[in-house]
Amino acid sequence: MSDDRRQRGQEIRRSAFGENGEERWRALNEIDSGHAESILEYCFGTIWARPGLDLKLRELIVIAATAAQDLPGEVAIHTRGALNRGASREEIIETIVQCAPYIGFPKTNHALEAANGVISQWDDHPDWHA
Amino acid sequence: MSDDRRQRGQEIRRSAFGENGEERWRALNEIDSGHAESILEYCFGTIWARPGLDLKLRELIVIAATAAQDLPGEVAIHTRGALNRGASREEIIETIVQCAPYIGFPKTNHALEAANGVISQWDDHPDWHA
Amino acid sequence: MSDDRRQRGQEIRRSAFGENGEERWRALNEIDSGHAESILEYCFGTIWARPGLDLKLRELIVIAATAAQDLPGEVAIHTRGALNRGASREEIIETIVQCAPYIGFPKTNHALEAANGVISQWDDHPDWHA
Amino acid sequence: MSDDRRQRGQEIRRSAFGENGEERWRALNEIDSGHAESILEYCFGTIWARPGLDLKLRELIVIAATAAQDLPGEVAIHTRGALNRGASREEIIETIVQCAPYIGFPKTNHALEAANGVISQWDDHPDWHA
Amino acid sequence: MSDDRRQRGQEIRRSAFGENGEERWRALNEIDSGHAESILEYCFGTIWARPGLDLKLRELIVIAATAAQDLPGEVAIHTRGALNRGASREEIIETIVQCAPYIGFPKTNHALEAANGVISQWDDHPDWHA
Amino acid sequence: MSDDRRQRGQEIRRSAFGENGEERWRALNEIDSGHAESILEYCFGTIWARPGLDLKLRELIVIAATAAQDLPGEVAIHTRGALNRGASREEIIETIVQCAPYIGFPKTNHALEAANGVISQWDDHPDWHA
């Protein structure tokens, strides 16, 4: 059922990003509610809900895929997601450093700075915690 | 020691790609031996040799990072690496499908086709086995 | 309903790519049926099914978005789609030439060659016609 | 004639971006006047001046091509251009949402936010109107 | 004068790529003659004709810019151009290796293989010589 | 020896970026000291230390490779490097303009603005001078 997936997607999103993530989703929802629905139903309710890999590993994979496209904002978002899934600081930094030979140093440095910005402010941001 | 790292890098590469990988490295070594040395010393002897993440997970991360740049040839190489590190077919395919909302369907499809090409011919290619 | 969207997605896909497109979808379906379902339900059944822009214009937009990422295979597929939606040869070529100052000449040339390959063989390929 | 094209290019630029666009062009002209001349003569005076597609559709195509490269600043500029060519808010947002399955959600979200920023401030910015 | 630039552009192109380059230009000219004219007038007749950097250095810069976008076909074309401008094999390979930390190893390897393919067959291809 | 290369890398970095560059390296070193060591040993101590091209030309090549990936922050850093290696303002701007037909106008404009920002503030920033 489509409604079930939407519901499941919302739960998976909340458990990754906390209240801070809700704000960004609501902003996208105001721009285009159909696109925002696809984020819940397809991205979080279908892809993230698949069995076969645990959620922490999925966060590390998405960090690699967004670092490779030089999207440090998304690296920061999914660093929050990875911490909320139980990843250690070391696993997140290690994921990015592993990408370096495959994406080059500039994109690697941007991703490291974005991830480190989240990690170093984690304790001061209860709104990032799910 | 630099020599130790070179040696370690060579071992890590061999255990990922088998004899088939050696051929490609030798071709790059003929084009520029210094660049080929960096592949051994920096990429495999330094980055891949770091503690903190196991080699199978590193292969999945590199598959995500190369799929995100539409590099299906590298997805194929690291699918061989992931299989040699004990990844299941499902874990490899799942890694690529998880990237889809973040990289778009064309790059995802190219990566799936590349990975599937390796997986479906795995038993017929002893030279891919490490 | 999710099933309705899947059905609608299948119809939209068929009316864009004809029998040739079915073959590629079936190959992806064998690699990962869940991903292939998302292609039908999310991509074709949800996004392509939205009101607000006609299907011919959507094909031209996708040609621009894939040319910009140097994906000539997708430019070729959506050139078939655009021709099946009633776009003229001139509209397709014009779309790509319009991108040139924004994506550079190499990607533009690759897209022009891909589109022209489809256009010049259109009459000989009934399997491309929807 | 080259001078004719330069003149025509200037007119096409002005009718797209208004006074605000002139400022940016003048800044580029101070950095390198030859490059700024090419913007007028080649980009606006030659490509944008071609027959075969109307100016509104060209703006939508450029929005797709720049969204696909994660260039939200250019998406914002050409959202202004599209509004000045008579595009509706819906047509612009729809163009970007159509790209989502082909470029991924992060780039789509960046483009939607950039376009929405222009659309929501349009009435307060007479300098954006041509 | 625009005609002068077109003429100058044609001369610069011929002196870079020889007869083999003419064939590719003619194919593009058949697809869209206006776009092919821009290649002569804007790209070769305006940009390549600027003073301030010699033609050999411009070829090395274009090799770097196309290697960085994973465009090995263009790396091959401009390797021919660089050799025709008097670049040594070492300068071309060195240019690509210098990019490695900034673009990652996969794109670097593709560019090295493309450049080496031209260099190693140079003596057998009089049609590549200008 | 690896230690020699690290030392040489540090010298090459300092002679490119001055005290300002040290600050950024130290920030990366705090995030991951192993990655920061690779920047010294592999990037600066190995690649930049190779014979075959002078350091000024290497800076221009890196400006082209980073402009092509839309990395204006890196274009700014290496504009400082190029100025410290004796490149003229004209050579740096010319390098970027030469890339325009191969990378498109948006990335070219971003790179020109980044380079010009450094060039126009050069005299006021003794911390950028090596």
Side-chain angles (χ1 to χ4, degrees):
Chain A
M1 284 302 94
S2 171
D3 277 0
D4 288 358
R5 272 191 290 154
R6 193 197 180 283
Q7 175 73 17
R8 190 173 47 189
Q10 203 157 30
E11 286 161 17
I12 291 176
R13 265 190 85 259
R14 274 192 194 134
S15 66
F17 307 133
E19 180 55 28
N20 177 279
E22 293 302 293
E23 282 171 39
R24 196 174 182 227
W25 184 83
R26 278 193 291 265
L28 285 166
N29 191 46
E30 277 184 39
I31 298 176
D32 189 275
S33 64
H35 177 66
E37 285 302 302
S38 296
I39 291 176
L40 290 186
E41 191 192 68
Y42 163 59
C43 178
F44 288 99
T46 304
I47 300 299
W48 283 84
R50 287 165 61 116
L53 291 177
D54 65 40
L55 289 168
K56 185 179 89 172
L57 179 45
R58 289 182 188 272
E59 291 285 2
L60 299 180
I61 285 164
V62 172
I63 287 172
T66 53
Q69 296 177 91
D70 198 40
L71 300 167
E74 274 71 21
V75 170
I77 290 168
H78 290 283
T79 295
R80 297 206 295 265
L83 291 170
N84 277 320
R85 296 330 186 173
S88 67
R89 178 197 184 284
E90 286 67 28
E91 287 171 312
I92 296 166
I93 297 297
E94 200 61 40
T95 294
I96 299 170
V97 172
Q98 175 62 47
C99 293
Y102 301 94
I103 69 176
F105 285 9
K107 294 179 184 176
T108 304
N109 294 347
H110 298 172
L112 285 173
E113 288 159 353
N116 187 59
V118 170
I119 291 166
S120 61
Q121 299 173 37
W122 184 247
D123 292 337
D124 302 330
H125 274 276
D127 61 320
W128 292 354
H129 298 233
Chain B
M1 284 303 91
S2 170
D3 278 359
D4 286 358
R5 272 191 293 155
R6 191 196 181 284
Q7 174 73 15
R8 189 174 47 190
Q10 203 158 30
E11 286 160 16
I12 291 176
R13 266 191 82 260
R14 273 191 195 136
S15 65
F17 307 132
E19 179 56 28
N20 177 279
E22 293 301 293
E23 281 171 40
R24 197 177 179 223
W25 185 84
R26 277 194 292 266
L28 284 166
N29 191 47
E30 277 183 40
I31 299 176
D32 189 275
S33 64
H35 177 67
E37 286 301 303
S38 295
I39 292 176
L40 291 185
E41 191 192 68
Y42 163 60
C43 179
F44 288 99
T46 303
I47 299 300
W48 283 85
R50 287 166 61 118
L53 291 177
D54 66 40
L55 290 168
K56 184 180 90 173
L57 179 44
R58 290 181 187 274
E59 292 286 3
L60 299 180
I61 286 165
V62 172
I63 287 172
T66 52
Q69 298 176 89
D70 198 40
L71 300 166
E74 272 72 21
V75 170
I77 291 169
H78 290 284
T79 295
R80 298 207 295 263
L83 291 169
N84 277 320
R85 291 346 181 163
S88 67
R89 180 200 183 283
E90 285 69 26
E91 288 172 310
I92 295 166
I93 297 297
E94 199 61 39
T95 293
I96 299 170
V97 172
Q98 175 61 47
C99 293
Y102 301 94
I103 68 176
F105 285 9
K107 294 178 185 177
T108 303
N109 294 347
H110 299 172
L112 285 173
E113 289 160 350
N116 188 60
V118 170
I119 290 165
S120 62
Q121 299 173 36
W122 183 248
D123 292 338
D124 302 330
H125 274 277
D127 61 321
W128 292 354
H129 298 231
Chain C
M1 284 303 92
S2 170
D3 278 0
D4 287 358
R5 271 191 292 154
R6 191 197 181 284
Q7 174 73 16
R8 189 173 48 191
Q10 202 157 31
E11 285 160 17
I12 292 177
R13 265 192 84 259
R14 273 191 194 135
S15 66
F17 307 133
E19 180 55 28
N20 176 279
E22 293 302 293
E23 283 171 38
R24 196 177 181 223
W25 184 84
R26 277 194 292 264
L28 284 166
N29 191 47
E30 277 184 40
I31 299 176
D32 188 274
S33 64
H35 176 66
E37 285 302 302
S38 295
I39 292 176
L40 290 186
E41 191 193 68
Y42 163 59
C43 178
F44 287 99
T46 303
I47 299 299
W48 283 84
R50 287 166 60 116
L53 292 177
D54 65 40
L55 290 168
K56 184 180 89 172
L57 180 43
R58 289 181 189 273
E59 291 285 2
L60 299 180
I61 286 165
V62 172
I63 287 172
T66 51
Q69 298 176 91
D70 198 41
L71 299 166
E74 273 71 21
V75 170
I77 290 169
H78 290 283
T79 295
R80 298 206 295 264
L83 291 169
N84 277 321
R85 285 3 176 149
S88 68
R89 179 199 184 282
E90 285 69 28
E91 288 171 310
I92 295 166
I93 297 296
E94 200 61 40
T95 293
I96 299 169
V97 172
Q98 176 62 47
C99 294
Y102 302 94
I103 68 176
F105 284 10
K107 294 178 185 176
T108 304
N109 294 347
H110 299 173
L112 285 173
E113 290 160 351
N116 187 60
V118 170
I119 291 166
S120 62
Q121 299 173 36
W122 184 248
D123 291 337
D124 302 330
H125 274 276
D127 60 322
W128 292 353
H129 297 231
Chain D
M1 284 303 92
S2 169
D3 278 0
D4 287 357
R5 271 190 292 156
R6 190 196 181 284
Q7 175 74 17
R8 191 173 45 191
Q10 202 157 32
E11 286 161 15
I12 292 176
R13 266 191 85 258
R14 274 192 193 133
S15 66
F17 307 132
E19 180 54 29
N20 177 278
E22 292 303 293
E23 282 171 39
R24 196 175 181 225
W25 184 83
R26 277 194 292 266
L28 285 166
N29 190 47
E30 277 184 39
I31 298 175
D32 189 274
S33 64
H35 176 66
E37 285 302 303
S38 295
I39 292 175
L40 290 185
E41 192 191 69
Y42 163 59
C43 177
F44 288 98
T46 303
I47 299 299
W48 282 84
R50 288 166 60 117
L53 292 176
D54 65 40
L55 289 169
K56 185 180 89 173
L57 179 45
R58 289 181 188 273
E59 291 286 3
L60 299 180
I61 286 164
V62 172
I63 287 172
T66 52
Q69 298 176 91
D70 198 40
L71 300 167
E74 274 71 22
V75 170
I77 291 169
H78 290 283
T79 295
R80 297 205 297 265
L83 291 169
N84 277 319
R85 289 354 179 156
S88 67
R89 179 200 184 284
E90 286 67 28
E91 288 171 311
I92 295 166
I93 298 297
E94 200 61 41
T95 294
I96 298 170
V97 172
Q98 175 62 47
C99 294
Y102 302 94
I103 69 176
F105 285 9
K107 294 179 185 177
T108 303
N109 294 347
H110 298 172
L112 285 173
E113 289 160 351
N116 188 60
V118 170
I119 290 165
S120 62
Q121 299 174 36
W122 184 247
D123 292 336
D124 302 329
H125 274 277
D127 61 321
W128 292 355
H129 298 231
Chain E
M1 285 302 93
S2 169
D3 278 0
D4 287 358
R5 271 191 291 155
R6 190 196 182 284
Q7 175 72 18
R8 190 174 46 192
Q10 202 158 32
E11 286 160 16
I12 291 176
R13 265 191 83 260
R14 274 192 194 133
S15 66
F17 307 131
E19 181 55 28
N20 176 279
E22 293 302 294
E23 280 171 41
R24 196 176 181 225
W25 184 84
R26 277 194 292 264
L28 285 166
N29 191 47
E30 277 184 41
I31 299 175
D32 189 275
S33 64
H35 176 66
E37 285 302 302
S38 295
I39 291 175
L40 290 185
E41 191 192 69
Y42 163 59
C43 178
F44 288 99
T46 303
I47 299 299
W48 283 85
R50 288 166 60 117
L53 291 177
D54 65 39
L55 290 168
K56 184 180 91 175
L57 180 45
R58 289 181 189 273
E59 291 285 4
L60 299 181
I61 286 165
V62 172
I63 287 171
T66 52
Q69 297 176 91
D70 198 40
L71 300 166
E74 275 71 21
V75 170
I77 291 168
H78 290 283
T79 295
R80 298 205 296 263
L83 291 169
N84 277 320
R85 296 335 186 169
S88 67
R89 179 199 184 285
E90 285 69 26
E91 287 171 312
I92 295 166
I93 298 297
E94 199 62 39
T95 294
I96 299 170
V97 172
Q98 175 62 47
C99 294
Y102 301 93
I103 67 176
F105 285 9
K107 294 179 185 177
T108 303
N109 293 348
H110 299 172
L112 284 173
E113 289 159 352
N116 187 61
V118 170
I119 290 166
S120 63
Q121 299 174 36
W122 184 248
D123 292 338
D124 302 329
H125 273 277
D127 61 321
W128 292 354
H129 298 231
Chain F
M1 284 303 93
S2 171
D3 277 0
D4 287 359
R5 271 190 293 154
R6 192 196 180 284
Q7 174 73 15
R8 191 173 47 189
Q10 202 158 31
E11 286 161 15
I12 291 176
R13 265 191 85 259
R14 275 193 192 132
S15 66
F17 306 133
E19 179 55 27
N20 177 279
E22 293 302 294
E23 282 170 39
R24 196 176 181 225
W25 184 83
R26 277 194 293 265
L28 285 166
N29 191 47
E30 277 184 40
I31 299 175
D32 189 274
S33 64
H35 177 66
E37 286 302 302
S38 295
I39 292 175
L40 290 186
E41 191 192 69
Y42 163 59
C43 177
F44 288 99
T46 303
I47 299 298
W48 283 84
R50 286 165 60 117
L53 292 177
D54 65 40
L55 289 168
K56 184 179 89 173
L57 180 44
R58 290 182 187 273
E59 290 285 4
L60 299 180
I61 286 164
V62 172
I63 287 171
T66 52
Q69 297 176 92
D70 198 40
L71 300 167
E74 273 70 23
V75 170
I77 290 168
H78 290 284
T79 295
R80 298 206 296 264
L83 290 169
N84 277 320
R85 297 331 186 174
S88 67
R89 179 198 183 286
E90 286 69 27
E91 288 171 312
I92 295 165
I93 298 298
E94 200 61 39
T95 294
I96 299 169
V97 172
Q98 175 61 47
C99 294
Y102 301 94
I103 68 176
F105 285 9
K107 294 179 185 177
T108 303
N109 294 348
H110 298 172
L112 285 172
E113 289 160 351
N116 187 60
V118 170
I119 290 166
S120 62
Q121 299 174 37
W122 184 249
D123 292 338
D124 302 329
H125 274 277
D127 61 320
W128 292 354
H129 298 232

